[in-house]
Every structure is written in structure tokens, then in C-alpha cells.
Amino acid sequence: MQNRITTLFNISYPIIQAGMVWASGWRLASAVSNAGGLGVIGAGSMYPEVLREHILKCKQATDKPFAVNVPMLYPDIDKHMDIIVELGVKIVFTSAGNPKTWTKFLKDKGITVVHVVSSVKFALKAEEAGVDAIVAEGFEAGGHNGRDETTTLTLIPAVKEKINIPIIAAGGIATGKSMLAAMVLGADGVQVGSRFVASDEASSHPDFKQKVVEAGEGATKLTLKELAPVRMLKNKFFHDIQDAYAKGATVEDLKTLLGRARAKRGMFEGDMEEGELEIGQVAAIIHDIRPAATIVQDMITEFREAQKEVAKF
Ligand SMILES: Cc1cc2nc3c(=O)[nH]c(=O)nc-3n(C[C@H](O)[C@H](O)[C@H](O)COP(=O)(O)O)c2cc1C
């Protein structure tokens, strides 16, 4: 398979494993890269020295390209960027911030830059900032998301109308069929998050992986729009947030309720009641925990079969 995304990243298949807090360390990233996709280390839950260790281990585990995702909310972002440059990481995905802030710095060092957006407006800003590609992430995606509630099916063609650089579709993609659909709509590749949470190599807590497998239709919702909108499983913590809304909670009340380290508590430490469990709507069609390489291979096989099926029409 060859297109603008496989060429940009020098990979075999246009499948990008999403950078995800508490899920995507070196084990997952290297497994996906070795399988022909692009593995991404999620720096958002790592102290700088932890990130260093993950990059070094990833380099030992694969000789294929891999990337690092840096959410710009992170307070120690300068240190992250210095380590990325020092260790010669070739591809960086930035998210949750202004693409102008780091793109030039990274591009000047010869690094390929991809920025995550949730609307046409931000896609245009990212293109203007000089990024090499964008991830366009729809409303159904797990984790932090845009406020406009634009679904992937609407977002991809809308972005395609206005943008010339390669587009990676994200949100609700876990199968080869949805990958084909996204590419028909104008995407050059797909970024897959939730499906890789339920993989052997994800660093997510086993109880969280099991919850993802058990999640059915309607099990997730986007909430906390006043702070940073995030899609999560409807567990006790989620219902506590809804109770707070019902009582007219202020932004300060919500911040206090969220507290610190909720995401770590849920997704990494396995507190299924009090923790924040970020996952996408697509969890409803994830029924097992598989090796990451199998996820990549199954997607490609299904993509090719779906292409043939559609060609019959
Ligand atoms: C557990 C989890 C953690 C995430 N953490 C991050 C993150 O640190 N940085 C980021 O840019 N996106 C993050 N996301 C969003 C993903 O990168 C990706 O765009 C999204 O999961 C795609 O939608 P899907 O879950 O339907 O596949 C996270 C998603 C999940 C499910």
C-alpha cells in the first residue's frame, strides 16, 4: 500500500496507532511499528525522564519509524521537546494547543510534524502553521475532543474541501471497513485509539481493557466541556459529574471534583469506580483483547475484502 501518508512516514500501511495517555508506551508503539503501521508513544502521561526511557526502549524494540504525541497542555513540554530532539525522534504529533507554538521549532530540526484538530477552522490554522499532515478527530473519539460535536463522517469531507496536506481520520475507526470509509471520504490514513487500548501491549490496566470489551452501545459520553471536553465510560465518576451539573456546579466545582490524577487512577491503576476511563463510542464493537500486530493485520485484510465487496456494486 502506498500513498501520501505511507510515504510521509515511510511505513507499510496508513494505520497510525494513536498517542494515548496511560495506554501507549514503547511496547504498544514498537509492536504497531513492527507490524507496518506507525506506533506513537503518548508523552502526555509521562514525566520527561520516563519519556526518555520509552523512546530509548522503543528504538531497541523496532528499527521502523515511530512517533511521539505531545499534548500541549503538559506543563513540562519544553523538556519533552528537548528530549525528542536529543534522541532524534523523527515524527511528532502535537495536540491540545496552538500548532504555531512548536511547529517551526520542530521543523527546523528536520522533524515531521502532525497536528490534531477537530474542526475545519483549526485544520486551516494547522496548515498555515506549516505542519506536514493533520489528524482530523471526530466527536465519537475517545479521550479529549473538540466542543463542536462534529462526527468523523462529516468532519473528513469538510476538512478535505479546504486542506491540501494529507489528512489522517480519527474517531470511531477500529476496523478495515471503517478505514476504507474514511479513505473514501478523503482521508489519506487513519488514527486508531480505542481499538489499541484493548490490545495485549497497551499499558492500560487489565480491568480497564476488560471494561472496554464489555462496553456496549451508549456506554460513553462526552462531558466536562467547561474544562476540556472528554469522552469517557459512564462509571461512578461520570455519574458524579452529572450529579454536580444537576446541582448547578461552577467551573471551580468541576475542577475540584476532577481533582488530580483521575485518568491515571482509572486507566492505569484500575479504579473502575472513581477513575476517569477515556474511550470512544467504537468500544461498542470491540469484543476482545488482541495483540497489536493482529489488529493491524486484521484491519488490512478487512480493508482489502471491503474494497472488493464495494467494487461489486
Ligand atoms: C485512553 C485514551 C487516551 C488518549 N490520550 C490522548 C493523548 O494523550 N493525546 C492525544 O492527542 N489524543 C489522545 N486520545 C485520542 C486519540 O489520540 C485518538 O485520536 C482517538 O482515540 C481516536 O478515536 P477512537 O478512540 O474512536 O479510535 C486518547 C484516546 C484514548 C481512548
Side-chain angles (χ1 to χ4, degrees):
M1 251 186 206
Q2 228 192 341
N3 70 4
R4 294 199 291 175
I5 280 296
T6 57
T7 306
L8 180 67
F9 299 142
N10 193 21
I11 54 177
S12 303
Y13 310 120
I15 297 177
I16 289 92
Q17 161 255 308
M20 295 180 286
V21 287
W22 305 114
S24 62
W26 69 271
R27 273 198 187 84
L28 180 57
S30 60
V32 172
S33 289
N34 282 332
L38 184 73
V40 183
I41 295 173
S45 49
M46 296 179 182
Y47 290 117
E49 288 316 308
V50 175
L51 174 63
R52 175 188 294 280
E53 195 185 316
H54 278 261
I55 294 171
L56 290 172
K57 284 191 172 156
C58 199
K59 281 185 161 185
Q60 274 176 3
T62 184
D63 55 5
K64 301 267 168 51
F66 67 92
V68 175
N69 165 244
V70 187
M72 291 192 227
L73 300 164
Y74 193 82
D76 260 343
I77 188 163
D78 299 54
K79 288 188 191 145
H80 276 169
M81 293 302 189
D82 287 346
I83 289 169
I84 283 166
V85 172
E86 181 197 326
L87 298 183
V89 172
K90 295 194 170 59
I91 309 164
V92 170
F93 282 50
T94 53
S95 56
N98 186 342
K100 276 199 186 134
T101 320
W102 286 98
T103 300
K104 189 175 180 309
F105 170 87
L106 293 167
K107 297 279 303 169
D108 285 350
K109 308 280 186 300
I111 296 172
T112 299
V113 182
V114 182
H115 189 68
V116 184
V117 302
S118 58
S119 67
V120 173
K121 187 173 109 186
F122 290 125
L124 287 165
K125 280 193 177 166
E127 189 175 50
E128 198 185 297
V131 304
D132 297 282
I134 58 155
V135 173
E137 190 193 56
F139 171 64
E140 51 275 73
H144 291 282
N145 206 318
R147 287 190 167 72
D148 290 340
E149 307 199 351
T150 310
T151 59
T152 307
L153 200 72
T154 304
L155 181 64
I156 302 307
V159 168
K160 180 71 183 171
E161 257 183 28
K162 304 282 183 198
I163 293 290
N164 293 314
I165 54 175
I167 300 166
I168 300 162
I173 299 162
T175 67
K177 284 179 187 162
S178 42
M179 176 178 166
L180 178 62
M183 293 178 76
V184 170
L185 291 173
D188 300 277
V190 292
Q191 171 166 288
V192 176
S194 298
R195 175 61 271 193
F196 282 113
V197 170
S199 70
D200 293 340
E201 293 87 349
S203 57
S204 333
H205 193 279
D207 290 354
F208 177 40
K209 294 184 190 182
Q210 192 52 34
K211 280 269 180 226
V212 174
V213 169
E214 288 164 12
E217 192 179 46
T220 74
K221 195 165 180 186
L222 189 82
T223 189
L224 290 178
K225 277 191 173 182
E226 298 75 5
L227 304 181
V230 56
R231 179 174 296 282
M232 62 172 81
L233 278 175
K234 293 176 181 169
N235 64 348
K236 178 182 176 297
F237 171 56
F238 170 85
H239 289 297
D240 287 348
I241 298 169
Q242 308 317 304
D243 290 348
Y245 278 125
K247 289 180 189 138
T250 62
V251 169
E252 279 314 309
D253 294 338
L254 292 173
K255 275 189 191 160
T256 308
L257 177 59
L258 179 62
R260 292 183 70 83
R262 278 277 182 185
K264 180 182 187 188
R265 190 165 168 187
M267 297 189 283
F268 194 65
E269 295 173 348
D271 187 337
M272 294 297 103
E273 298 297 317
E274 298 294 340
E276 178 180 314
L277 304 174
E278 299 176 17
I279 208 73
Q281 287 184 346
V282 78
I285 58 159
I286 296 171
H287 306 305
D288 54 13
I289 298 162
R290 295 184 199 168
T294 308
I295 294 173
V296 174
Q297 263 315 320
D298 287 353
M299 282 187 74
I300 294 303
T301 306
E302 201 186 73
F303 176 89
R304 293 196 168 122
E305 281 167 5
Q307 266 182 317
K308 283 188 208 144
E309 276 305 305
V310 172
K312 285 186 199 159
F313 294 161

mmCIF file with all atom_site columns, all heavy atoms in Angstrom, residues 8-28:
data_model
loop_
_atom_site.group_PDB
_atom_site.id
_atom_site.type_symbol
_atom_site.label_atom_id
_atom_site.label_alt_id
_atom_site.label_comp_id
_atom_site.label_asym_id
_atom_site.label_entity_id
_atom_site.label_seq_id
_atom_site.pdbx_PDB_ins_code
_atom_site.Cartn_x
_atom_site.Cartn_y
_atom_site.Cartn_z
_atom_site.occupancy
_atom_site.B_iso_or_equiv
_atom_site.pdbx_formal_charge
_atom_site.auth_seq_id
_atom_site.auth_comp_id
_atom_site.auth_asym_id
_atom_site.auth_atom_id
_atom_site.pdbx_PDB_model_num
ATOM 1   N N   . LEU A 1 8  ? 5.029  9.728  3.602  1.00 0.00 ? 8  LEU A N   1
ATOM 2   C CA  . LEU A 1 8  ? 5.466  10.735 4.587  1.00 0.00 ? 8  LEU A CA  1
ATOM 3   C C   . LEU A 1 8  ? 6.170  10.093 5.783  1.00 0.00 ? 8  LEU A C   1
ATOM 4   O O   . LEU A 1 8  ? 7.195  10.583 6.257  1.00 0.00 ? 8  LEU A O   1
ATOM 5   C CB  . LEU A 1 8  ? 4.247  11.550 5.065  1.00 0.00 ? 8  LEU A CB  1
ATOM 6   C CG  . LEU A 1 8  ? 4.501  12.652 6.084  1.00 0.00 ? 8  LEU A CG  1
ATOM 7   C CD1 . LEU A 1 8  ? 5.324  13.789 5.463  1.00 0.00 ? 8  LEU A CD1 1
ATOM 8   C CD2 . LEU A 1 8  ? 3.179  13.215 6.633  1.00 0.00 ? 8  LEU A CD2 1
ATOM 9   N N   . PHE A 1 9  ? 5.588  8.981  6.269  1.00 0.00 ? 9  PHE A N   1
ATOM 10  C CA  . PHE A 1 9  ? 6.141  8.341  7.473  1.00 0.00 ? 9  PHE A CA  1
ATOM 11  C C   . PHE A 1 9  ? 7.082  7.171  7.163  1.00 0.00 ? 9  PHE A C   1
ATOM 12  O O   . PHE A 1 9  ? 7.676  6.599  8.080  1.00 0.00 ? 9  PHE A O   1
ATOM 13  C CB  . PHE A 1 9  ? 5.008  7.817  8.370  1.00 0.00 ? 9  PHE A CB  1
ATOM 14  C CG  . PHE A 1 9  ? 4.069  8.892  8.869  1.00 0.00 ? 9  PHE A CG  1
ATOM 15  C CD1 . PHE A 1 9  ? 2.709  8.636  8.973  1.00 0.00 ? 9  PHE A CD1 1
ATOM 16  C CD2 . PHE A 1 9  ? 4.530  10.140 9.260  1.00 0.00 ? 9  PHE A CD2 1
ATOM 17  C CE1 . PHE A 1 9  ? 1.823  9.601  9.449  1.00 0.00 ? 9  PHE A CE1 1
ATOM 18  C CE2 . PHE A 1 9  ? 3.661  11.113 9.732  1.00 0.00 ? 9  PHE A CE2 1
ATOM 19  C CZ  . PHE A 1 9  ? 2.303  10.843 9.827  1.00 0.00 ? 9  PHE A CZ  1
ATOM 20  N N   . ASN A 1 10 ? 7.141  6.782  5.876  1.00 0.00 ? 10 ASN A N   1
ATOM 21  C CA  . ASN A 1 10 ? 7.938  5.617  5.482  1.00 0.00 ? 10 ASN A CA  1
ATOM 22  C C   . ASN A 1 10 ? 7.461  4.336  6.188  1.00 0.00 ? 10 ASN A C   1
ATOM 23  O O   . ASN A 1 10 ? 8.253  3.625  6.816  1.00 0.00 ? 10 ASN A O   1
ATOM 24  C CB  . ASN A 1 10 ? 9.421  5.887  5.765  1.00 0.00 ? 10 ASN A CB  1
ATOM 25  C CG  . ASN A 1 10 ? 10.314 4.861  5.098  1.00 0.00 ? 10 ASN A CG  1
ATOM 26  O OD1 . ASN A 1 10 ? 9.902  4.198  4.151  1.00 0.00 ? 10 ASN A OD1 1
ATOM 27  N ND2 . ASN A 1 10 ? 11.524 4.700  5.616  1.00 0.00 ? 10 ASN A ND2 1
ATOM 28  N N   . ILE A 1 11 ? 6.155  4.083  6.084  1.00 0.00 ? 11 ILE A N   1
ATOM 29  C CA  . ILE A 1 11 ? 5.549  2.895  6.704  1.00 0.00 ? 11 ILE A CA  1
ATOM 30  C C   . ILE A 1 11 ? 4.827  2.077  5.622  1.00 0.00 ? 11 ILE A C   1
ATOM 31  O O   . ILE A 1 11 ? 4.632  2.553  4.506  1.00 0.00 ? 11 ILE A O   1
ATOM 32  C CB  . ILE A 1 11 ? 4.555  3.291  7.827  1.00 0.00 ? 11 ILE A CB  1
ATOM 33  C CG1 . ILE A 1 11 ? 3.501  4.292  7.306  1.00 0.00 ? 11 ILE A CG1 1
ATOM 34  C CG2 . ILE A 1 11 ? 5.313  3.894  9.015  1.00 0.00 ? 11 ILE A CG2 1
ATOM 35  C CD1 . ILE A 1 11 ? 2.434  4.690  8.316  1.00 0.00 ? 11 ILE A CD1 1
ATOM 36  N N   . SER A 1 12 ? 4.416  0.843  5.997  1.00 0.00 ? 12 SER A N   1
ATOM 37  C CA  . SER A 1 12 ? 3.783  -0.035 5.001  1.00 0.00 ? 12 SER A CA  1
ATOM 38  C C   . SER A 1 12 ? 2.285  0.222  4.846  1.00 0.00 ? 12 SER A C   1
ATOM 39  O O   . SER A 1 12 ? 1.739  0.110  3.755  1.00 0.00 ? 12 SER A O   1
ATOM 40  C CB  . SER A 1 12 ? 3.982  -1.501 5.395  1.00 0.00 ? 12 SER A CB  1
ATOM 41  O OG  . SER A 1 12 ? 5.340  -1.785 5.534  1.00 0.00 ? 12 SER A OG  1
ATOM 42  N N   . TYR A 1 13 ? 1.601  0.490  5.970  1.00 0.00 ? 13 TYR A N   1
ATOM 43  C CA  . TYR A 1 13 ? 0.146  0.687  5.938  1.00 0.00 ? 13 TYR A CA  1
ATOM 44  C C   . TYR A 1 13 ? -0.222 2.032  6.566  1.00 0.00 ? 13 TYR A C   1
ATOM 45  O O   . TYR A 1 13 ? 0.375  2.411  7.584  1.00 0.00 ? 13 TYR A O   1
ATOM 46  C CB  . TYR A 1 13 ? -0.564 -0.418 6.737  1.00 0.00 ? 13 TYR A CB  1
ATOM 47  C CG  . TYR A 1 13 ? -0.141 -1.806 6.380  1.00 0.00 ? 13 TYR A CG  1
ATOM 48  C CD1 . TYR A 1 13 ? 0.418  -2.651 7.337  1.00 0.00 ? 13 TYR A CD1 1
ATOM 49  C CD2 . TYR A 1 13 ? -0.291 -2.287 5.085  1.00 0.00 ? 13 TYR A CD2 1
ATOM 50  C CE1 . TYR A 1 13 ? 0.817  -3.936 7.021  1.00 0.00 ? 13 TYR A CE1 1
ATOM 51  C CE2 . TYR A 1 13 ? 0.112  -3.572 4.745  1.00 0.00 ? 13 TYR A CE2 1
ATOM 52  C CZ  . TYR A 1 13 ? 0.669  -4.391 5.720  1.00 0.00 ? 13 TYR A CZ  1
ATOM 53  O OH  . TYR A 1 13 ? 1.069  -5.659 5.400  1.00 0.00 ? 13 TYR A OH  1
ATOM 54  N N   . PRO A 1 14 ? -1.236 2.718  6.027  1.00 0.00 ? 14 PRO A N   1
ATOM 55  C CA  . PRO A 1 14 ? -1.589 4.038  6.588  1.00 0.00 ? 14 PRO A CA  1
ATOM 56  C C   . PRO A 1 14 ? -2.435 3.936  7.855  1.00 0.00 ? 14 PRO A C   1
ATOM 57  O O   . PRO A 1 14 ? -3.501 4.529  7.968  1.00 0.00 ? 14 PRO A O   1
ATOM 58  C CB  . PRO A 1 14 ? -2.359 4.695  5.433  1.00 0.00 ? 14 PRO A CB  1
ATOM 59  C CG  . PRO A 1 14 ? -2.964 3.562  4.675  1.00 0.00 ? 14 PRO A CG  1
ATOM 60  C CD  . PRO A 1 14 ? -2.037 2.392  4.821  1.00 0.00 ? 14 PRO A CD  1
ATOM 61  N N   . ILE A 1 15 ? -1.947 3.133  8.802  1.00 0.00 ? 15 ILE A N   1
ATOM 62  C CA  . ILE A 1 15 ? -2.634 2.962  10.091 1.00 0.00 ? 15 ILE A CA  1
ATOM 63  C C   . ILE A 1 15 ? -1.731 3.546  11.172 1.00 0.00 ? 15 ILE A C   1
ATOM 64  O O   . ILE A 1 15 ? -0.597 3.074  11.369 1.00 0.00 ? 15 ILE A O   1
ATOM 65  C CB  . ILE A 1 15 ? -2.917 1.474  10.389 1.00 0.00 ? 15 ILE A CB  1
ATOM 66  C CG1 . ILE A 1 15 ? -3.870 0.891  9.342  1.00 0.00 ? 15 ILE A CG1 1
ATOM 67  C CG2 . ILE A 1 15 ? -3.476 1.308  11.807 1.00 0.00 ? 15 ILE A CG2 1
ATOM 68  C CD1 . ILE A 1 15 ? -4.148 -0.599 9.508  1.00 0.00 ? 15 ILE A CD1 1
ATOM 69  N N   . ILE A 1 16 ? -2.251 4.556  11.849 1.00 0.00 ? 16 ILE A N   1
ATOM 70  C CA  . ILE A 1 16 ? -1.491 5.194  12.929 1.00 0.00 ? 16 ILE A CA  1
ATOM 71  C C   . ILE A 1 16 ? -2.128 4.803  14.251 1.00 0.00 ? 16 ILE A C   1
ATOM 72  O O   . ILE A 1 16 ? -3.335 4.967  14.427 1.00 0.00 ? 16 ILE A O   1
ATOM 73  C CB  . ILE A 1 16 ? -1.466 6.737  12.761 1.00 0.00 ? 16 ILE A CB  1
ATOM 74  C CG1 . ILE A 1 16 ? -0.576 7.107  11.574 1.00 0.00 ? 16 ILE A CG1 1
ATOM 75  C CG2 . ILE A 1 16 ? -0.912 7.438  14.003 1.00 0.00 ? 16 ILE A CG2 1
ATOM 76  C CD1 . ILE A 1 16 ? -1.256 7.238  10.283 1.00 0.00 ? 16 ILE A CD1 1
ATOM 77  N N   . GLN A 1 17 ? -1.322 4.278  15.153 1.00 0.00 ? 17 GLN A N   1
ATOM 78  C CA  . GLN A 1 17 ? -1.826 3.970  16.496 1.00 0.00 ? 17 GLN A CA  1
ATOM 79  C C   . GLN A 1 17 ? -1.757 5.264  17.296 1.00 0.00 ? 17 GLN A C   1
ATOM 80  O O   . GLN A 1 17 ? -0.715 5.886  17.379 1.00 0.00 ? 17 GLN A O   1
ATOM 81  C CB  . GLN A 1 17 ? -0.970 2.846  17.129 1.00 0.00 ? 17 GLN A CB  1
ATOM 82  C CG  . GLN A 1 17 ? -1.065 2.725  18.629 1.00 0.00 ? 17 GLN A CG  1
ATOM 83  C CD  . GLN A 1 17 ? 0.179  3.287  19.273 1.00 0.00 ? 17 GLN A CD  1
ATOM 84  O OE1 . GLN A 1 17 ? 1.288  2.906  18.912 1.00 0.00 ? 17 GLN A OE1 1
ATOM 85  N NE2 . GLN A 1 17 ? 0.023  4.204  20.216 1.00 0.00 ? 17 GLN A NE2 1
ATOM 86  N N   . ALA A 1 18 ? -2.920 5.683  17.823 1.00 0.00 ? 18 ALA A N   1
ATOM 87  C CA  . ALA A 1 18 ? -2.994 6.984  18.491 1.00 0.00 ? 18 ALA A CA  1
ATOM 88  C C   . ALA A 1 18 ? -2.095 7.057  19.719 1.00 0.00 ? 18 ALA A C   1
ATOM 89  O O   . ALA A 1 18 ? -1.965 6.088  20.461 1.00 0.00 ? 18 ALA A O   1
ATOM 90  C CB  . ALA A 1 18 ? -4.440 7.240  18.917 1.00 0.00 ? 18 ALA A CB  1
ATOM 91  N N   . GLY A 1 19 ? -1.495 8.240  19.921 1.00 0.00 ? 19 GLY A N   1
ATOM 92  C CA  . GLY A 1 19 ? -0.804 8.501  21.177 1.00 0.00 ? 19 GLY A CA  1
ATOM 93  C C   . GLY A 1 19 ? -1.865 8.636  22.260 1.00 0.00 ? 19 GLY A C   1
ATOM 94  O O   . GLY A 1 19 ? -2.798 9.419  22.101 1.00 0.00 ? 19 GLY A O   1
ATOM 95  N N   . MET A 1 20 ? -1.751 7.850  23.320 1.00 0.00 ? 20 MET A N   1
ATOM 96  C CA  . MET A 1 20 ? -2.804 7.839  24.351 1.00 0.00 ? 20 MET A CA  1
ATOM 97  C C   . MET A 1 20 ? -2.213 7.786  25.743 1.00 0.00 ? 20 MET A C   1
ATOM 98  O O   . MET A 1 20 ? -1.410 6.892  26.046 1.00 0.00 ? 20 MET A O   1
ATOM 99  C CB  . MET A 1 20 ? -3.712 6.613  24.159 1.00 0.00 ? 20 MET A CB  1
ATOM 100 C CG  . MET A 1 20 ? -4.501 6.626  22.871 1.00 0.00 ? 20 MET A CG  1
ATOM 101 S SD  . MET A 1 20 ? -5.543 5.153  22.730 1.00 0.00 ? 20 MET A SD  1
ATOM 102 C CE  . MET A 1 20 ? -4.326 3.889  22.347 1.00 0.00 ? 20 MET A CE  1
ATOM 103 N N   . VAL A 1 21 ? -2.639 8.735  26.578 1.00 0.00 ? 21 VAL A N   1
ATOM 104 C CA  . VAL A 1 21 ? -2.164 8.736  27.961 1.00 0.00 ? 21 VAL A CA  1
ATOM 105 C C   . VAL A 1 21 ? -2.480 7.392  28.624 1.00 0.00 ? 21 VAL A C   1
ATOM 106 O O   . VAL A 1 21 ? -3.551 6.835  28.425 1.00 0.00 ? 21 VAL A O   1
ATOM 107 C CB  . VAL A 1 21 ? -2.786 9.887  28.801 1.00 0.00 ? 21 VAL A CB  1
ATOM 108 C CG1 . VAL A 1 21 ? -2.191 11.226 28.422 1.00 0.00 ? 21 VAL A CG1 1
ATOM 109 C CG2 . VAL A 1 21 ? -4.303 9.903  28.703 1.00 0.00 ? 21 VAL A CG2 1
ATOM 110 N N   . TRP A 1 22 ? -1.532 6.882  29.361 1.00 0.00 ? 22 TRP A N   1
ATOM 111 C CA  . TRP A 1 22 ? -1.650 5.667  30.172 1.00 0.00 ? 22 TRP A CA  1
ATOM 112 C C   . TRP A 1 22 ? -1.908 4.408  29.353 1.00 0.00 ? 22 TRP A C   1
ATOM 113 O O   . TRP A 1 22 ? -2.256 3.376  29.896 1.00 0.00 ? 22 TRP A O   1
ATOM 114 C CB  . TRP A 1 22 ? -2.735 5.821  31.259 1.00 0.00 ? 22 TRP A CB  1
ATOM 115 C CG  . TRP A 1 22 ? -2.491 7.012  32.111 1.00 0.00 ? 22 TRP A CG  1
ATOM 116 C CD1 . TRP A 1 22 ? -3.266 8.137  32.206 1.00 0.00 ? 22 TRP A CD1 1
ATOM 117 C CD2 . TRP A 1 22 ? -1.360 7.244  32.956 1.00 0.00 ? 22 TRP A CD2 1
ATOM 118 N NE1 . TRP A 1 22 ? -2.697 9.032  33.050 1.00 0.00 ? 22 TRP A NE1 1
ATOM 119 C CE2 . TRP A 1 22 ? -1.527 8.523  33.539 1.00 0.00 ? 22 TRP A CE2 1
ATOM 120 C CE3 . TRP A 1 22 ? -0.224 6.488  33.295 1.00 0.00 ? 22 TRP A CE3 1
ATOM 121 C CZ2 . TRP A 1 22 ? -0.605 9.071  34.415 1.00 0.00 ? 22 TRP A CZ2 1
ATOM 122 C CZ3 . TRP A 1 22 ? 0.701  7.037  34.179 1.00 0.00 ? 22 TRP A CZ3 1
ATOM 123 C CH2 . TRP A 1 22 ? 0.494  8.312  34.727 1.00 0.00 ? 22 TRP A CH2 1
ATOM 124 N N   . ALA A 1 23 ? -1.778 4.492  28.030 1.00 0.00 ? 23 ALA A N   1
ATOM 125 C CA  . ALA A 1 23 ? -2.012 3.296  27.213 1.00 0.00 ? 23 ALA A CA  1
ATOM 126 C C   . ALA A 1 23 ? -0.867 3.016  26.252 1.00 0.00 ? 23 ALA A C   1
ATOM 127 O O   . ALA A 1 23 ? -0.504 1.860  26.034 1.00 0.00 ? 23 ALA A O   1
ATOM 128 C CB  . ALA A 1 23 ? -3.311 3.441  26.420 1.00 0.00 ? 23 ALA A CB  1
ATOM 129 N N   . SER A 1 24 ? -0.299 4.091  25.665 1.00 0.00 ? 24 SER A N   1
ATOM 130 C CA  . SER A 1 24 ? 0.644  3.842  24.568 1.00 0.00 ? 24 SER A CA  1
ATOM 131 C C   . SER A 1 24 ? 2.086  4.171  24.945 1.00 0.00 ? 24 SER A C   1
ATOM 132 O O   . SER A 1 24 ? 2.597  5.242  24.669 1.00 0.00 ? 24 SER A O   1
ATOM 133 C CB  . SER A 1 24 ? 0.224  4.595  23.315 1.00 0.00 ? 24 SER A CB  1
ATOM 134 O OG  . SER A 1 24 ? 0.223  5.976  23.507 1.00 0.00 ? 24 SER A OG  1
ATOM 135 N N   . GLY A 1 25 ? 2.725  3.199  25.557 1.00 0.00 ? 25 GLY A N   1
ATOM 136 C CA  . GLY A 1 25 ? 4.157  3.298  25.836 1.00 0.00 ? 25 GLY A CA  1
ATOM 137 C C   . GLY A 1 25 ? 4.947  2.607  24.729 1.00 0.00 ? 25 GLY A C   1
ATOM 138 O O   . GLY A 1 25 ? 4.411  2.340  23.651 1.00 0.00 ? 25 GLY A O   1
ATOM 139 N N   . TRP A 1 26 ? 6.205  2.304  25.013 1.00 0.00 ? 26 TRP A N   1
ATOM 140 C CA  . TRP A 1 26 ? 7.089  1.750  23.968 1.00 0.00 ? 26 TRP A CA  1
ATOM 141 C C   . TRP A 1 26 ? 6.638  0.380  23.485 1.00 0.00 ? 26 TRP A C   1
ATOM 142 O O   . TRP A 1 26 ? 6.828  0.037  22.328 1.00 0.00 ? 26 TRP A O   1
ATOM 143 C CB  . TRP A 1 26 ? 8.541  1.682  24.472 1.00 0.00 ? 26 TRP A CB  1
ATOM 144 C CG  . TRP A 1 26 ? 8.764  0.672  25.556 1.00 0.00 ? 26 TRP A CG  1
ATOM 145 C CD1 . TRP A 1 26 ? 8.636  0.865  26.897 1.00 0.00 ? 26 TRP A CD1 1
ATOM 146 C CD2 . TRP A 1 26 ? 9.145  -0.701 25.393 1.00 0.00 ? 26 TRP A CD2 1
ATOM 147 N NE1 . TRP A 1 26 ? 8.901  -0.289 27.588 1.00 0.00 ? 26 TRP A NE1 1
ATOM 148 C CE2 . TRP A 1 26 ? 9.221  -1.263 26.692 1.00 0.00 ? 26 TRP A CE2 1
ATOM 149 C CE3 . TRP A 1 26 ? 9.428  -1.516 24.298 1.00 0.00 ? 26 TRP A CE3 1
ATOM 150 C CZ2 . TRP A 1 26 ? 9.562  -2.603 26.919 1.00 0.00 ? 26 TRP A CZ2 1
ATOM 151 C CZ3 . TRP A 1 26 ? 9.772  -2.856 24.516 1.00 0.00 ? 26 TRP A CZ3 1
ATOM 152 C CH2 . TRP A 1 26 ? 9.841  -3.378 25.811 1.00 0.00 ? 26 TRP A CH2 1
ATOM 153 N N   . ARG A 1 27 ? 6.016  -0.417 24.382 1.00 0.00 ? 27 ARG A N   1
ATOM 154 C CA  . ARG A 1 27 ? 5.603  -1.770 23.972 1.00 0.00 ? 27 ARG A CA  1
ATOM 155 C C   . ARG A 1 27 ? 4.578  -1.717 22.852 1.00 0.00 ? 27 ARG A C   1
ATOM 156 O O   . ARG A 1 27 ? 4.705  -2.395 21.834 1.00 0.00 ? 27 ARG A O   1
ATOM 157 C CB  . ARG A 1 27 ? 4.983  -2.529 25.152 1.00 0.00 ? 27 ARG A CB  1
ATOM 158 C CG  . ARG A 1 27 ? 5.991  -3.229 25.977 1.00 0.00 ? 27 ARG A CG  1
ATOM 159 C CD  . ARG A 1 27 ? 5.396  -4.312 26.873 1.00 0.00 ? 27 ARG A CD  1
ATOM 160 N NE  . ARG A 1 27 ? 6.446  -4.791 27.742 1.00 0.00 ? 27 ARG A NE  1
ATOM 161 C CZ  . ARG A 1 27 ? 6.800  -4.208 28.874 1.00 0.00 ? 27 ARG A CZ  1
ATOM 162 N NH1 . ARG A 1 27 ? 6.147  -3.147 29.289 1.00 0.00 ? 27 ARG A NH1 1
ATOM 163 N NH2 . ARG A 1 27 ? 7.803  -4.674 29.585 1.00 0.00 ? 27 ARG A NH2 1
ATOM 164 N N   . LEU A 1 28 ? 3.542  -0.893 23.048 1.00 0.00 ? 28 LEU A N   1
ATOM 165 C CA  . LEU A 1 28 ? 2.491  -0.781 22.033 1.00 0.00 ? 28 LEU A CA  1
ATOM 166 C C   . LEU A 1 28 ? 3.039  -0.117 20.769 1.00 0.00 ? 28 LEU A C   1
ATOM 167 O O   . LEU A 1 28 ? 2.831  -0.600 19.652 1.00 0.00 ? 28 LEU A O   1
ATOM 168 C CB  . LEU A 1 28 ? 1.293  0.012  22.589 1.00 0.00 ? 28 LEU A CB  1
ATOM 169 C CG  . LEU A 1 28 ? 0.131  0.210  21.620 1.00 0.00 ? 28 LEU A CG  1
ATOM 170 C CD1 . LEU A 1 28 ? -0.417 -1.113 21.109 1.00 0.00 ? 28 LEU A CD1 1
ATOM 171 C CD2 . LEU A 1 28 ? -0.992 1.015  22.279 1.00 0.00 ? 28 LEU A CD2 1
#
